[in-house]
Amino acid sequence: MELHDIWLYFEHGVLIKAKGFGAKGTSIGEAVFNTSLSGYQEIISDPSYAGQFIVFCMPEIGIVGCNEKDMESRQAFAKGVLIRNLSNIKSNFRATENLDSFFRRHNLIGICNVDTRSIVKMLRDNGAMMMIASTQMQTREELCSVLQKAKKIHEINYVQEVSTKENYIHDCSIFNFKNFDYEKIDINDKDRKKIIAIDYGIKRNILNELTRAGLVVEVVNEDFNPHDLIKRYEAKEIGGIFLSNGPGDPLFLQNQIKKVKVLIKTKIPMFGICLGHQILSNAHGFPTYKLQFGQHGGNHPVKNYSDNTLEITSQNHNYNVPESICEVATITHRNLFDNTIEGVQYKDSPIFSVQHHPEASPGPKEASTLFTKFAKIVTSTL
């Protein structure tokens, strides 16, 4: 594996020379840190990271290698990845390529031999910030000039980039460790009820969990026609709508918010995760706000007020719903790190949502019962 020189410049003035791997060129995005200790391929291929550089707290990355079955989407949409030490070998019998090969194939900029601990502390103290990484430019002045002219992440609709181009039926369920593949489901099974999943940047393992809960999942592009979905619901062709995770600032997605407002009026059962959770809040008239550095990682404790239990969760978000949401919804979950809202059940409506990722890929599985909850609601409507 041959490394090359690469220069990093952060918007508050820090310039760093590091080593690069994967693709060469220039990339601009928002830097955030992730505290997960495993599952780097699932994290990198999560579409919610579109427009962002991922700074891994875990110092050693690459030893597990990569394979197509662990992809969370059709490609990696992140702007780049910063790691401390890059493994020169892959040591896992499921691996088909190393991280360098994976990055080159996905045209993704990799950055290593950099003090990630220092960068994480910088982001912790100053908040998520824009940065530029380049193998083509070296001087502070040139990097600063290009970065200043670039659009901020909250000015770009990354949902349009990551959403599926063609609607499809998802027919895979839980991963089978006997043959290391995903089990297929019978989409013609009359006992399975159909839902629509709005793809704002959906992860494959969310779809797997929905099908595992007994649902047939039709995935549609983010620019859907809400009136068509209402007609299908009234005809009992579908029993509910799932709003997926995804990238970017939810307040920038005014077109998507308007569509969800139409759906809310009809009281169609809906379940939202992450960006879907935020869009539902905005559609109900309660604007989201940006956290200082967000929540990105595994093993985040969340209090579930519905049964008074503690759930260890996976997180990936920069934005949050406001406390005023309690005017129209009951707060069902809170983050025990910062006490922010992690879940709500809307009053007098079959709509609920969570900020964390109950599909747990990577991460724990305590919150996966939410998919079963949604399936029971859908079944009762058909």
Side-chain angles (χ1 to χ4, degrees), residues 4 52 93 187-188 194 252 336 347 377:
H4 45 264
Q52 293 180 319
F93 70 99
I187 61 175
N188 297 312
K194 179 181 280 190
F252 187 75
L336 296 184
K347 299 175 182 178
I377 294 173

Side-chain angles (χ1 to χ4, degrees), residues 6 18 69 121 174 228 264 273 288 347 360 368:
I6 190 166
K69 292 178 182 178
K121 290 172 69 176
I174 194 67
D228 287 346
I264 289 172
I273 288 178
T288 47
K347 299 175 182 178
S368 60

Side-chain angles (χ1 to χ4, degrees), residues 300-304 307-312 334 336 366:
H300 289 230
V302 167
K303 179 69 176 290
N304 184 339
D307 59 8
N308 205 35
T309 58
L310 176 68
E311 296 175 353
I312 303 302
R334 277 195 184 275
L336 296 184
E366 279 97 332

Side-chain angles (χ1 to χ4, degrees), residues 120-133:
V120 167
K121 290 172 69 176
M122 178 181 71
L123 297 176
R124 179 200 64 189
D125 295 340
N126 297 282
M129 65 179 71
M130 295 295 291
M131 64 164 281
I132 180 172

Side-chain angles (χ1 to χ4, degrees), residues 37 61 142-143 150 160-161 172 238 250 282 361 371 377:
L37 301 180
I61 298 289
E142 191 174 13
L143 291 165
Q160 292 179 338
E161 176 184 337
C172 290
I238 61 172
N282 288 320
S361 296
F371 296 103
I377 294 173

Side-chain angles (χ1 to χ4, degrees), residues 198-221:
I198 310 300
D199 182 7
Y200 299 126
I202 200 164
K203 293 174 63 178
R204 181 170 69 175
N205 273 297
I206 288 179
L207 296 173
N208 291 343
E209 291 287 352
L210 288 167
T211 57
R212 186 187 183 194
L215 299 169
V216 173
V217 186
E218 181 180 340
V219 186
V220 304
N221 180 269

Side-chain angles (χ1 to χ4, degrees), residues 151-272:
K151 286 186 177 181
K152 306 291 186 182
I153 193 169
H154 61 266
E155 299 172 322
I156 303 173
N157 188 341
Y158 283 108
V159 165
Q160 292 179 338
E161 176 184 337
V162 302
S163 183
T164 182
K165 306 308 176 188
E166 296 182 1
N167 299 349
Y168 64 94
I169 300 290
H170 183 78
D171 63 352
C172 290
S173 186
I174 194 67
F175 190 81
N176 187 330
F177 284 95
K178 291 182 179 180
N179 59 12
F180 294 96
D181 205 351
Y182 291 92
E183 296 178 349
K184 297 286 185 179
I185 65 163
D186 180 6
I187 61 175
N188 297 312
D189 184 349
K190 294 181 180 179
D191 291 332
R192 288 184 173 271
K193 311 304 180 183
K194 179 181 280 190
I195 65 161
I196 298 295
I198 310 300
D199 182 7
Y200 299 126
I202 200 164
K203 293 174 63 178
R204 181 170 69 175
N205 273 297
I206 288 179
L207 296 173
N208 291 343
E209 291 287 352
L210 288 167
T211 57
R212 186 187 183 194
L215 299 169
V216 173
V217 186
E218 181 180 340
V219 186
V220 304
N221 180 269
E222 52 84 24
D223 191 21
F224 63 95
N225 185 326
H227 300 288
D228 287 346
L229 298 190
I230 292 171
K231 289 179 181 178
R232 296 180 66 181
Y233 174 69
E234 292 174 342
K236 294 190 177 299
E237 181 184 340
I238 61 172
I241 295 172
F242 174 77
L243 306 179
S244 84
N245 61 296
D249 185 345
L251 281 176
F252 187 75
L253 306 175
Q254 290 301 310
N255 183 46
Q256 290 78 5
I257 292 170
K258 289 178 182 177
K259 293 176 183 293
V260 173
K261 280 184 179 180
V262 176
L263 297 176
I264 289 172
K265 293 177 181 179
T266 63
K267 295 189 181 297
I268 298 176
M270 284 192 278
F271 173 28

